Every structure is written in structure tokens, then in C-alpha cells.
Amino acid sequence: MTTNGDARGKRKKSPVKGLDRPAKILKNDSYPAATEIDQSLEEGIYNMESDLEDHISLPPNAAMAANSVEWQETIEKVVRNVVSIHFCQTCSFDTDSSISSEATGFVVDAQKGYILTNRHVVGAGPFWGFCIFDNHEEVDVHPVYRDPVHDFGILRFDPKAIKYMKVEELALRPDLAKVGVEIRVVGNDAGEKLSILSGVISRLDRNAPEYGEGYSDFNTNYIQAAAAASGGSSGSPVVNINGHAIALQAGGRSDGAATDYFLPLDRPLRALECIRKGEAISRGTIQTQWIIKPFDECRRLGLTPEWESAIRKGFPKETGLLVAEVVLPEGPADNKLEEGDVLISVNDELLTQFARLDAILDSKVDQKINIVVQRGGNDVKVELLVGDLHAITPDRFVTVAGGSFHNLSYQQARLYAIPAKGVYVCEAAGSFRFESSDAGWLIESVDQKKTPDLDAFIEVMSKIPDRARVVVHYKHVRDLHTLNTCIVHIDRHWTDKMRMAVRNDVTGLWDFIELAGPLPAEPAVRSKAHFARLDTFGHPAAVDVIRSFVRISCALPLKIDGFPRARKVGFGIVINAEKGLVIASRSIIPFDLCDLSLTIAETIIVEAKVVFLHPIANYAVIQYDPALVDAPVKSATLAKETIKQGAPTLFMGFNQNLRPVVTPTTVTDITTVAIPSNPTAPRYRAINLDAITVDTNLSGQCSSGVLIREDGAIEALWLSYLGERTPHTQKDVEYHLGLATPTLLPVLDQIQSGVTPSLRILNVETNTVQMSQCRIMGVSESWISKVAEANSIRHQLFMVRKVDCAPAGGHDSQALQEGDIILTLNDQLITRLSELDIMYNHEYLDALIVRRGEELKLRVPTIPTVDLETSRAVIFCGVVLHAPHHAVRQQISKLHSEVYVSLRTRGSPAYQYGLGPTNFITALNDQPTPTLEHFIKEAEKVKDNEYFRLRVVTFDNVPWVCTMKKCEHYFPTVEFAKDSEGIWRKKVSGKEGDGIGGMGGVVVAEEGGEGAEESVDG
């Protein structure tokens, strides 16, 4: 049964299933294999629609009515005023996430260039967009007003920019919206350039639909009709047969029912008139949400027969009254009004309609009003001070340490029935990426100092030096009962500036003000600590090994090389305590553009730097300053003898709770494994790997650890290996395997002697081939016998499975080819992967191979690994560009250019125009861009807000052309590059104060997962 008083939840989410605002149409990527890397951010948000077409789409049951002469004339007039809006909400703000989308609007003032659309299109935060008229002329649009509560906003365009058609306007006639009126919804429905849907108004007194978490309209009635509008129709005019706009399309059901909800035009008309006159649009509030309830429900709440009779007499067509649904704590009505109060009168005027209540409140800002409500059959008279609704609607935010913050909005407060105060984290990123959720956090205090509002927060943050660790207390809007505590590492070097962004309704842009530069990091001091005793394990060999473990926290200011996370935590092993050298997995330290923190003995925290990254063996070596550590750190003893299959060993690792666990076990296998590649976003993976597995369930629970011999020597490192992303769950798979220590010693010995290894490798990936297969593929019986003698445990050779893509000049004629079976390198028979290490120190290798059944001798070139790691990255229009990293070269057969798209962010021009990850840019404005240097040179020639053309090739070799508009105001070009000393530097182009898209020029992928804090136990 449907009633006027629909059941609505105050908190959590709407209990009404199937309600949905017409989905914003996300830009269709018109190219294959351009998969998003920042997937929390990006998985499951695509709504692929057909290409824009120029035709009118009519439901079959409406075709005859729509083709009538009267409606035909009306439609021809209306379509000239309807525009398709293409826009980006460039960063998360209030209830809105950053997004690129399409919607509809219509001209309401042709002379001054005003367009009416929805508030959820204009958004609460920064907006960047353009609109396309019916004749396909394009013009930029800028917001001039977005209502704090109701779902409408007004955009401005330059009418003089439309040269090939006469711009007309639709008259707003809210008074003509009546039950039974036949209507047409004219707009960009389901991604079509123009679609016309028909319907009949069935109801005028519906409560505003609740869309769950996020923005929802309230304190207004909605008009209901059956028009079956869908994505992209937001902001469409609802017109009558005379061509008057009588409502604004705003929402609908998503469960298949052809039900749509339209916003009445009373308040949009008032706002438009104020803007035309140059007057401020006053908005009043008593911080109370009202809903319409029918008289029968009001009687159950205590409405007396006397008041019902008086109201029915004064308003004979009304069937219900306004009832208080949510009274915000600490608001003007707190302790005066209560949920369930039935509104009778305001200032001695009987009142039944939202529009009249709004009018009174808007005219009485900062003044007192008298309200009469009925509560349990008794009259309650209260005097309330009307507040300024704009004052509790944020129009500014600050970015610092990678995060963005503003005062909690009335929208959020109303949704969760909490006080409209506090510092809200609108972009939980950088230092403030908390655990378990990306949105909804309220900062209670920073560095033991209260932060009740944004100004107090700015004051506290301005006094915290770079790299400081401070205590942060915070709550979630869904759970104010729980106070969370964490320790945050403040980053003021990668995101050095603290900026305030302030909305400017004159220009339609957000102006940026630099608030405070970073304070230099305080000098590190020597600290003392003692390791916890592990005698209770009963395994003496593990007692001393605990003194060789350090906890590693790796924070990545920029996601490059396809790596999916912004922060990783794991453990490493100290291999030289005197020099502070530590070895760890490359799944923890994927590249050297990072901030490393080591925790020693669970007591001391020191910074570290990357010394060496192995190109294929999945380990990194980092270094800390041992002078800062006063603790009995022990250099691990690495075994020189290779562990054997079936040998007993002691497994010691760290579980998901980062606690050490120990158990005796047995080596079950030592075999060549192939870590699966990630086809949608190539990223680092280990290849040509002999992996160790053990017979204990703990091995699957521990991503870091060691295998220990009886005498305490470490026989193998237990490492995590980053693998593929599962297509259904969109989760990254990590494999936990052992790596024998003897294979590490040649490289580690160089590092410990002060030499940074400069390795060379064969640019191939191999797999094992058994003798039965080798015989069929042409390996002679004599070689099969030699293999059996050389390796009595495993009779195997190695076949080239994949050859990395050729360099610019093509493959060397002596290079290995896919399908080659390797017999010897430099006259050494190769039956174990560790024997391939001979390649590290040779520019050429004399190889004997079997190719197509014949033995061949080759002088095979190796490649230097110094160029395989990314040393320069550019953020341009929301994408991260750099030279194709090693994983790309491993998975592709041809490099189309050295300009590779590694990542993109939501709400950016790149997202709007469809340029996505795994694409190669080959030209800009028809000028070839073979390298990043060429691209930067050509990009600098493009003026701000100017279109340019990109020639692009997908990962699957499909060429296409992308047109894009530059937006330096929100997305300045940022360059990260290593200097001559190998230190990463950041350079931002554009004017001072520019750049908030993607977090102040540093792209932050909207991915869930680990936060950037260290949790406090308990």
C-alpha cells in the first residue's frame, strides 16, 4: 500500500528498494583494452552506452500522441533549448565523488545565458564542463548556483558563442503542474543526443525520493509520473503541450518500474529571478527535516479533530500535513521540536506545503519565527531562530598532506542525524587514507589538539613539520560511538603546499590560496630499544632471528608501473646491521619513488631509502642509518648451501596480524614456477624463478618470513609475489613462496662492499621442458644424457616462452627466439634456473640452442637493467605517463612509442574523453611523440582550455584518435623525475595556486584497502 508518508530511513541507507536517480552517463571508452588501474576506485562503475546519435526515440505506446500536430510544434520549439551537458566533478567534495559524466539541461535565460539542470549534476564541489546544443555547437559552462538542499543548479554560458542558431529559452511555469497533465521529458536519455519520453502526471505530493547514502533532496514534495527515463536524463525539462517547463527531471526507479520523479519549479524560479536581479539567494533553515504524512497517520501522531477540521477547511484539496522526521542535534530546533511533531502553523499562518515553509524560512534568515506543532494531542508553541543554510553548506576546502577536508555539511549531518559541525575528510588520501573506508571520516583531533572546525584544523596542521608522526583521533559518520586512534606520517614533501580552495560563483571556478608552506623535518635522533624474547616458542634457532626482522611501511606518492596500491606493509631481513642493509620483497617495495619507514624492535621508527631493485628476482635492498638505532640488531646469517627437497626446516613468518609465528616443517618442493601476468594492467612480477614450498598452513598466511636451519642460518626468504587481478572479485592475488638464499649472495656481496650492482639480463621468459618433450623437439640423445648426468634430481632444460618486445632498432639477429631450447651458455649446461645468473655480468653470451630441430650457435646479447626502472613520470590532464616499464615490455610484442598511459583518475579530462591506461600516445596534434620529452614539448604548445588531438594505439595494436581539452586550472601538468644523484624531484607547471584535480597535481587512485596510518593496538 502506498501512502503519502513513505517509510524513510534517517541513517545508513534508504529502506526503499529500487529508488535511483537517473544514472549519470559515464564516458564510453571507445577503445579496447583500456582498463582502469585505480579500480576501487574504478571497478563496476562503467555504464557503457551506445554512441551519440541524432534521432528521436519514442516509446511505442506514445508514438501516436507525440506525432500529433500540437505536440510536434511544441517539441520542435523545445529541443532548441535543450542541451547535453558533458562535465567533470574534478575531486571528491561533500556527498559527491569525482566523476566524469553526461546529463541534460535547458536554457532558461537566453540573453544572459543561464541553463537549469540538477544539483547532482552541478555538484557541490569543483565543476568543469561544456554543453552541446541541438545543432552541435559547443560552449563552456560554469556554475553560478547550486542549491544547498534541493536538486537544482544553474549554469552560465556565453550566448554570443552560439553563432549558427538562435538561442531561445523555456518559461518556468510551476503553477501548471497538475494531476492528469500530459507531459514530455526532453533530454539526453540513456546517452542519446536527444530522446523524448511521454507520460502523465499522476501525483504532486510525493515525498522526495531517498537515494541512500550520498546526496538526496528533502524538505520538498516531488511530482510523480510514468515516463521511464534513464541515465543521462537528469536535468531534462518536463514540458506541457504549450511548451512550458512545468518540472525538472530528477530521479526514478531502477527496478524496471516506469516511474519518474520531478522537482517542482517554485524554488528554481525564485533562484533564477534573484540571479537575474543580481541579488543574493537567501536560504533559511531550522535544521529540521520534514516529510508529508496523510491525515490518518497524523491522527495517530496526535492531531486533534479541531486542528484537522480547521486545516481541511482552509485547504480543502490537501490530504496531509508536514511532520518532523529528523531534528538535528545542536541545531536551532534541538530540544524544542521532536521527531513526530505535526506542523500546524508558522507565524500564525496555517501551513501544509513545503513551498510556503521554504518561502518563510528564506525570508527570515537570522530572525525568529513562531511555530505551533501538535505533539501527542497537545499544542506546543516554540520560538526558533532561523539559521543561514549557506553557512552550513561548505564552499571551501583545504588540501594538505595528500588529503582534502571541509566542514561537515548540512547534507551529511541530515543523512546521519548528527550535529552539523566537525572536520570532514572529503578525500581520504595521502597521509589521511584511513583503514576500511575511503569516505565518511570526521577528524576529532590532530597531534593531541582538538579540531572542532576547518579553521582549527588548518591552524594545527600548519605547525606540524614534514615527516612528523602525530596521533589522530577520528570517527565515522555512521558510528559516532566509536573513537578511532591512529598514528599518521605527515607528508609535506610530495604534497608540500597547504592550499585552500574557495568557490567563486562569479567565475564559476574555485580559487586557490596558498595557506602555509611546509615546516622542515625535525632532525632524527638516536633511540634505544630491546627486542621481545621469543624463548616461549621452544625453538632456539628462532630466538636470535627475530633480531634480524624489521617492519617496513612503504608509502607511494604516485602510482606508476601499474602498481595497484598506495601503501604496503611487510617485513624485511637485516643482512648487514653495521651498514643498515635490509632485504625485502618487491611486492612491498615496487619502485623507488616512495617513502620508506622501518620499525625496529617494535619501538624505533627510522627512515630508509632504496639501494637496489632486482629486475626479475622479486627482491629489493634498502638502507637505514644504523647510527639512529641503539638496539641489538643482528645481521642475518644467509646459508651458502642450497636447501633440498624433503629437508626439515623451521618456518618463521609474520601473519595477517603482523605477529611472528614459528613451526617446524618440511620442504615439499623446489620447482620452477610462473607467476601469472596481469593482462589488464601490466605490473612488476618475478620471472625465471625457482620457488620453494613447505608443508605448513602457516606458509599461506604469512607474506614475509624465513626458513631457518638448525644452526640459525637462513636457508630461504619467504616472500610475497604479486600476481594477477581476478576478473570477478577485482582482487589482486599474492603468492607466498620461498627464495633460496644462495642465489642472492653474489648480488648481496656487491652491495655490502659498497657497489651498486649493474646487472644485465636476457630479455626472455623461460619455462621448463622435460626430456620426453626435448627429444621430440630435436634435442639429441647425447645432450639428453648430459642433462641426466648434470642434474640427477630434475632432468630438464629451458625453453624460451616469451621474448620481450624489440627495441627501436629491432631484435638483434643473434637474439633468442620464442621456442628456442637453451642447451649451454658460455659452454655451461643450463639445467637449473640459478645457472642463468651467468647473464648478470656479460654483455654477450655464447649460446648453444635448439631451434626448429636444429642446433645453432649464437652470440646472444644481454640488456642492461639500469633502464628498466621508471625514472620519469608526467601527470597530464589526469593521466600518468611514463616510458613503458619492464612488465609492459614483457607482455607486448611491439612498442608503439615511449609514451605509455599508466593510470588515470576519475573526474579528469582524460576520463571525460576516454584516454585510459595501457594506451600508447604516438602523436599530439599530428606531431610525433616517440618519447616523453617530445610529448612534453608538444603539450606545452597547447593553451589552457584548448582542444588538441592525440593519436593513440591500444595495447592490442588498435589505433584511434582522441580529442581532449586541456584544463590547467584543475589539472596542471606535474613532472616527477630523478636528478643526477638519483633523487626524485617534483615540478608543477602553471600558476601558483593551481591544481586540485587528482589531489593538488599528485594523482591519487580511488582504491580501497590499507590506509596510510599505523594502528594503535587496543
Side-chain angles (χ1 to χ4, degrees):
M1 182 180 71
T2 302
T3 65
N4 287 350
D6 298 304
R8 294 155 54 87
K10 303 178 189 177
R11 303 170 68 92
K12 308 295 184 187
K13 61 181 180 179
S14 172
V16 183
K17 295 183 179 180
L19 292 183
D20 195 16
R21 177 181 296 114
K24 302 170 185 175
I25 298 300
L26 301 183
K27 194 65 176 180
N28 184 9
D29 295 338
S30 55
Y31 55 87
T35 309
E36 288 307 308
I37 295 177
D38 44 336
Q39 45 312 103
S40 116
L41 30 212
E42 309 242 56
E43 287 86 357
I45 63 172
Y46 291 99
N47 184 4
M48 298 298 187
E49 302 292 345
S50 59
D51 294 334
L52 301 183
E53 300 177 11
D54 297 316
H55 71 273
I56 295 175
S57 174
L58 296 177
N61 62 354
M64 293 185 61
N67 289 330
S68 66
V69 176
E70 295 87 355
W71 272 114
Q72 196 68 37
E73 293 177 353
T74 297
I75 295 304
E76 290 177 358
K77 174 185 175 183
V78 170
V79 295
R80 293 195 295 270
N81 307 291
V82 178
V83 297
S84 175
I85 302 172
H86 301 246
F87 66 96
C88 298
Q89 293 173 2
T90 65
C91 64
S92 298
F93 184 84
D94 195 13
T95 58
D96 301 324
S97 298
S98 54
I99 197 172
S100 300
S101 187
E102 298 176 9
T104 305
F106 59 98
V107 179
V108 292
D109 191 316
Q111 183 178 359
K112 295 185 177 181
Y114 293 137
I115 293 172
L116 181 64
T117 186
N118 287 128
R119 191 257 199 195
H120 71 262
V121 173
V122 178
F127 172 100
W128 177 73
F130 61 90
C131 69
I132 300 176
F133 280 78
D134 183 55
N135 69 341
H136 286 269
E137 285 192 80
E138 179 183 318
V139 63
D140 291 340
V141 291
H142 302 283
V144 295
Y145 181 72
R146 66 269 282 166
D147 195 79
V149 170
H150 301 318
D151 197 6
F152 74 92
I154 297 175
L155 302 171
R156 185 189 70 250
F157 70 97
D158 182 4
K160 296 179 181 179
I162 305 300
K163 300 177 180 179
Y164 302 105
M165 66 174 283
K166 182 181 179 181
V167 179
E168 298 180 355
E169 63 190 51
L170 289 182
L172 303 185
R173 293 294 304 274
D175 56 304
L176 299 180
K178 301 181 184 300
V179 173
V181 170
E182 189 177 0
I183 57 163
R184 298 291 183 269
V185 181
V186 184
N188 175 27
D189 185 79
E192 301 296 333
K193 172 63 176 66
L194 180 66
S195 186
I196 301 170
L197 304 174
S198 64
V200 176
I201 293 178
S202 60
R203 186 175 173 187
L204 299 176
D205 59 351
R206 191 198 190 284
N207 282 303
E210 185 86 45
Y211 301 108
E213 295 190 23
Y215 170 75
S216 292
D217 201 347
F218 60 98
N219 282 354
T220 183
N221 59 292
Y222 264 61
I223 299 168
Q224 182 172 309
S230 58
S233 63
S234 293
S236 299
V238 180
V239 298
N240 64 6
I241 197 168
N242 296 319
H244 295 135
I246 63 175
L248 179 69
Q249 166 69 22
R253 298 189 70 90
S254 62
D255 57 359
T259 303
D260 289 273
Y261 307 125
F262 309 139
L263 177 71
L265 294 178
D266 306 82
R267 308 319 288 168
L269 178 58
R270 171 185 177 261
L272 177 62
E273 290 173 347
C274 290
I275 292 173
R276 283 170 169 166
K277 297 174 184 177
E279 299 176 353
I281 305 172
S282 61
R283 296 288 276 116
T285 180
I286 55 174
Q287 296 187 30
T288 301
Q289 177 184 349
W290 306 86
I291 62 171
I292 304 171
K293 285 188 177 291
F295 280 119
D296 57 325
E297 290 193 35
C298 291
R299 284 194 294 270
R300 292 196 293 271
L301 291 171
L303 178 66
T304 61
E306 293 78 12
W307 276 121
E308 180 178 355
S309 176
I311 292 169
R312 285 185 180 272
K313 181 177 179 180
F315 305 95
K317 295 184 178 181
E318 296 297 336
T319 59
L321 293 173
L322 303 183
V323 175
E325 172 78 350
V326 177
V327 180
L328 289 197
E330 302 181 28
D334 188 25
N335 296 321
K336 295 182 179 180
L337 296 180
E338 296 179 1
E339 289 80 358
D341 285 351
V342 180
L343 182 61
I344 301 298
S345 68
V346 179
N347 287 348
D348 298 324
E349 175 185 343
L350 293 181
L351 196 147
T352 62
Q353 291 286 336
F354 281 115
R356 183 55 190 154
L357 177 60
D358 260 356
I360 294 174
L361 295 178
D362 292 348
S363 65
K364 298 292 185 181
V365 176
D366 295 329
Q367 300 180 45
K368 292 183 178 181
I369 59 172
N370 295 305
I371 289 183
V372 176
V373 297
Q374 281 233 296
R375 183 183 302 160
N378 299 315
D379 288 355
V380 178
K381 299 180 180 179
V382 296
E383 183 181 72
L384 301 176
L385 179 64
V386 179
D388 184 356
L389 186 52
H390 293 302
I392 53 175
T393 302
D395 60 357
R396 60 176 188 151
F397 66 94
V398 66
T399 61
V400 61
S404 294
F405 312 83
H406 58 69
N407 286 319
L408 183 69
S409 69
Y410 182 37
Q411 275 287 339
Q412 295 275 28
R414 188 277 316 179
L415 181 62
Y416 298 101
I418 60 179
K421 66 177 186 179
V423 178
Y424 180 75
V425 186
C426 58
E427 189 79 64
S431 299
F432 289 89
R433 183 182 287 276
F434 298 130
E435 289 182 342
S436 73
S437 177
D438 287 335
W441 300 110
L442 291 172
I443 303 295
E444 294 284 311
S445 69
V446 177
D447 197 20
Q448 311 295 358
K449 300 177 181 64
K450 292 288 186 180
T451 55
D453 54 38
L454 189 62
D455 292 329
F457 176 79
I458 293 170
E459 178 68 18
V460 172
M461 289 300 299
S462 65
K463 297 179 180 179
I464 298 177
D466 184 28
R467 301 183 186 273
R469 286 177 170 81
V470 298
V471 177
V472 175
H473 294 105
Y474 58 100
K475 295 181 179 180
H476 200 278
V477 290
R478 297 193 204 98
D479 181 15
L480 296 186
H481 306 292
T482 303
L483 180 66
N484 302 285
T485 301
C486 71
I487 298 173
V488 167
H489 184 211
I490 299 297
D491 166 22
R492 295 296 303 276
H493 45 282
W494 298 116
T495 54
D496 55 338
K497 299 184 184 302
M498 182 191 298
R499 289 195 176 105
M500 174 76 77
V502 182
R503 192 181 72 213
N504 186 333
D505 288 330
V506 176
T507 64
L509 300 173
W510 287 63
D511 301 326
F512 309 111
I513 305 167
E514 186 173 330
L515 299 179
L519 297 178
E522 296 179 349
V525 296
R526 182 177 174 88
S527 300
K528 186 175 183 179
H530 298 279
F531 286 90
R533 293 183 59 84
L534 301 183
D535 295 343
T536 53
F537 281 128
H539 303 291
V543 173
D544 280 345
V545 173
I546 195 68
R547 295 195 287 124
S548 300
F549 275 104
V550 295
R551 179 181 171 187
I552 302 172
S553 176
C554 180
L556 308 172
L558 181 68
K559 292 182 182 177
I560 58 175
D561 294 358
F563 195 73
R565 308 296 292 272
R567 178 178 180 259
K568 286 287 288 184
V569 174
F571 286 83
I573 292 289
V574 177
I575 57 175
N576 190 318
E578 292 182 358
K579 296 185 176 181
L581 295 173
V582 178
I583 188 170
S585 168
R586 278 199 68 169
S587 71
I588 301 171
I589 310 166
F591 41 80
D592 57 3
L593 176 55
C594 62
D595 286 336
L596 292 172
S597 298
L598 306 186
T599 304
I600 299 174
E602 299 182 352
T603 305
I604 305 171
I605 299 177
V606 294
E607 306 295 329
K609 64 179 181 180
V610 175
V611 173
F612 174 74
L613 297 167
H614 198 286
I616 59 176
N618 193 50
Y619 68 86
V621 178
I622 61 178
Q623 186 175 34
Y624 66 92
D625 184 358
L628 300 175
V629 178
D630 183 5
V633 180
K634 179 186 176 184
S635 300
T637 301
L638 302 183
K640 297 180 181 180
E641 299 78 20
T642 302
I643 194 171
K644 305 296 183 181
Q645 182 180 7
T649 188
L650 189 63
F651 177 88
M652 180 177 183
F654 288 80
N655 60 20
Q656 295 96 327
N657 296 322
L658 306 180
R659 305 300 301 169
V661 290
V662 176
T663 186
T665 186
T666 303
V667 175
T668 56
D669 198 7
I670 304 174
T671 185
T672 301
V673 299
I675 303 297
S677 62
N678 189 47
T680 58
R683 65 269 187 109
Y684 178 86
R685 67 187 178 96
I687 61 171
N688 301 336
L689 171 72
D690 267 344
I692 300 170
T693 57
V694 293
D695 185 22
T696 172
N697 291 333
L698 290 179
S699 63
Q701 302 172 18
C702 301
S703 60
S704 302
V706 291
L707 301 183
I708 308 172
R709 206 164 56 190
E710 285 185 357
D711 60 0
I714 294 176
E715 299 179 288
L717 303 182
W718 196 255
L719 304 176
S720 59
Y721 294 76
L722 182 61
E724 76 280 16
R725 169 164 293 181
T726 56
H728 300 296
T729 64
Q730 293 298 312
K731 299 293 185 181
D732 293 307
V733 178
E734 287 195 359
Y735 299 89
H736 302 156
L737 301 166
L739 178 63
T741 54
T743 62
L744 312 175
L745 295 178
V747 173
L748 297 185
D749 287 344
Q750 290 187 57
I751 296 174
Q752 294 189 68
S753 65
V755 177
T756 301
S758 181
L759 305 183
R760 302 183 68 89
I761 61 172
L762 292 169
N763 60 337
V764 299
E765 183 176 350
T766 64
N767 59 359
T768 57
V769 186
Q770 304 306 317
M771 291 301 97
S772 59
Q773 298 168 309
C774 290
R775 180 177 286 112
I776 296 171
M777 299 176 72
V779 177
S780 67
E781 293 298 328
S782 63
W783 280 112
I784 292 176
S785 298
K786 291 177 183 179
V787 169
E789 293 176 6
N791 190 340
S792 59
I793 298 176
R794 296 191 182 276
H795 298 171
Q796 62 185 17
L797 289 172
F798 296 95
M799 183 180 71
V800 176
R801 174 182 172 272
K802 180 74 173 64
V803 179
D804 295 357
C805 66
H811 281 300
D812 190 292
S813 60
Q814 297 287 298
L816 294 172
Q817 297 180 11
E818 290 163 3
D820 289 350
I821 296 178
I822 301 172
L823 297 176
T824 66
L825 294 176
N826 286 358
D827 298 325
Q828 178 181 340
L829 182 61
I830 306 298
T831 64
R832 299 175 178 87
L833 277 176
S834 60
E835 294 166 347
L836 287 176
D837 293 353
I838 193 175
M839 64 185 171
Y840 289 158
N841 301 312
H842 292 83
E843 186 175 355
Y844 289 92
L845 294 169
D846 294 322
L848 179 63
I849 67 167
V850 173
R851 178 181 294 171
R852 301 184 185 92
E854 296 182 359
E855 291 186 12
L856 295 177
K857 289 185 177 181
L858 301 175
R859 186 167 170 79
V860 179
T862 59
I863 62 170
T865 59
V866 65
D867 297 329
L868 295 182
E869 302 297 335
T870 299
S871 60
R872 188 182 190 186
V874 173
I875 304 171
F876 177 76
C877 288
V879 291
V880 176
L881 306 173
H882 54 67
H885 50 288
H886 193 199
V888 174
R889 298 170 190 268
Q890 289 173 330
Q891 292 180 227
I892 201 168
S893 59
K894 179 183 177 181
L895 282 185
H896 305 286
S897 83
E898 292 285 330
V899 184
Y900 174 78
V901 181
S902 179
L903 178 147
R904 72 174 174 182
T905 53
R906 295 180 180 181
S908 66
Y911 202 109
Q912 173 74 20
Y913 293 98
L915 179 65
T918 73
N919 280 276
F920 297 86
I921 299 175
T922 60
L924 193 158
N925 285 341
D926 298 324
Q927 296 298 312
T929 57
T931 67
L932 204 56
E933 189 64 39
H934 287 88
F935 179 86
I936 294 172
K937 181 180 178 181
E938 295 302 322
E940 289 174 345
K941 298 177 183 178
V942 181
K943 298 178 181 178
D944 190 24
N945 209 42
E946 181 179 86
Y947 272 106
F948 56 93
R949 299 180 307 283
L950 295 175
R951 292 198 176 274
V952 184
V953 181
T954 71
F955 204 82
D956 295 327
N957 305 321
V958 179
W960 63 289
V961 176
C962 173
T963 59
M964 190 182 303
K965 185 182 288 187
K966 196 175 186 182
C967 179
E968 284 286 339
H969 186 75
Y970 293 130
F971 294 90
T973 302
V974 181
E975 181 178 352
F976 289 79
K978 287 184 181 180
D979 61 16
S980 58
E981 298 179 354
I983 299 174
W984 282 92
R985 305 291 184 186
K986 174 187 169 186
K987 176 184 176 183
V988 183
S989 69
K991 300 178 295 183
E992 280 297 315
D994 280 1
I996 57 170
M999 299 307 303
V1002 178
V1003 176
V1004 174
E1006 303 278 340
E1007 184 179 30
E1010 295 177 358
E1013 81 291 342
E1014 300 163 5
S1015 297
V1016 175
D1017 291 343

